[in-house]
Amino acid sequence: MKYRALAIDGPAGAGKSSVAKMLAKQLNYTYVDTGAMYRAATLKALALKVDLDNPESFSFLDNTKMEFMHEVLYLDGKDVTIAIRSNSVSNNVSVVASHIPVRNRLVALQQKIADKNHVVMDGRDIGTVVLPNADLKIFLTASVEERAKRRHAENVSLGIDSDLERLKKEIERRDQIDSSRSYNPLRVAKDAIFVDTSAMDLGEVTAMIYDLYKKKIDEKEEQPEWKTTNNPIKN
Ligand code: DC
């Protein structure tokens, strides 16, 4: 069976996770928040007190379990939804995500999930590295100002301490690290559709992507190869 995949990439706070969650619900697909996986790796590294700057500190990931169930990420069996949003994780995750062994391990895990499930997957390198054959690739972005406001509102709703000006600076810093790292940086896939969400609400963005995706899938299903392999009458 061919599993379907919708890839959504973009910088922090562009609205990827809210949009991806809504799309996964509408399509009845598994939502895979790859940023949460890098955060979980950071959380565990902080708990183990390993040297975060050393790529070789992360061999513990070989014995680490990460599973998504109903939008919740379980790290070694424990729900870490709130813990991975703490300031200490947010401030260290870019460095952790820049290490080659960390990326290789998490990309392999992400590909394994997509091998067995229809997925909406969001991150920075989904269309370029993790799922280069995704059925549709979207690159979502928005101004730094707008992205900081959205992250602030999300933090407040989760009961996390939040300061708008500081968030702006952190977002700029993380953009810088995420797009300038040498291994799998944040970049737009050649065949991705670029969407600036600064002046759109998340409902509008979701509806737009849903329509684009359905159209793409309908086109694929109309292709002759698809019909000959799946429709017994035509075989
Ligand atoms: O989307 P987020 O803010 O939760 O992502 C956390 C960090 O992980 C961010 O610094 C970028 C990094 N990341 C990455 O390098 N590759 C991904 N596929 C997803 C996130």
Side-chain angles (χ1 to χ4, degrees), residues 9-13 16 33-36 38-39 85 90 93-95 97-98 103 110 122-126 130 151 174 178 181 184:
D9 287 302
K16 296 187 303 289
D33 177 352
T34 62
Y38 288 94
R39 286 171 177 273
R85 304 285 153 197
S90 297
V93 64
S94 281
V95 174
S98 70
R103 300 205 71 81
Q110 291 151 13
D122 76 19
R124 305 294 193 284
D125 57 347
I126 311 307
V130 183
R151 211 14 88 90
R174 283 212 277 141
D178 291 343
R181 68 170 171 246
N184 301 353

Side-chain angles (χ1 to χ4, degrees), residues 77-170:
K78 205 172 142 216
D79 175 355
V80 289
T81 315
I82 302 288
I84 59 170
R85 304 285 153 197
S86 69
N87 287 329
S88 59
V89 170
S90 297
N91 293 335
N92 288 297
V93 64
S94 281
V95 174
V96 172
S98 70
H99 298 319
I100 295 177
V102 174
R103 300 205 71 81
N104 287 345
R105 173 77 184 130
L106 296 190
V107 166
L109 274 178
Q110 291 151 13
Q111 289 173 332
K112 221 163 133 189
I113 300 173
D115 274 348
K116 299 201 184 89
N117 301 277
H118 297 303
V119 292
V120 178
M121 191 177 284
D122 76 19
R124 305 294 193 284
D125 57 347
I126 311 307
T128 50
V129 176
V130 183
L131 305 174
N133 298 320
D135 294 292
L136 181 71
K137 300 178 187 178
I138 300 288
F139 191 93
L140 272 196
T141 191
S143 64
V144 171
E145 180 85 42
E146 186 57 34
R147 289 190 279 137
K149 272 195 212 154
R150 289 178 190 167
R151 211 14 88 90
H152 182 63
E154 190 184 319
N155 284 348
V156 170
S157 74
L158 288 170
I160 294 169
D161 263 358
S162 192
D163 176 280
L164 188 59
E165 284 310 308
R166 207 179 64 207
L167 274 179
K168 261 193 242 168
K169 293 211 174 73
E170 282 168 12

Side-chain angles (χ1 to χ4, degrees), residues 198-225:
S198 303
M200 293 169 88
D201 73 37
L202 297 179
E204 289 170 322
V205 179
T206 308
M208 189 185 104
I209 299 175
Y210 183 86
D211 289 346
L212 286 169
Y213 183 70
K214 280 287 177 194
K215 203 168 147 237
K216 193 73 180 258
I217 294 299
D218 287 348
E219 277 165 17
K220 287 195 170 192
E221 291 185 354
E222 274 162 22
Q223 279 164 12
E225 315 89 80

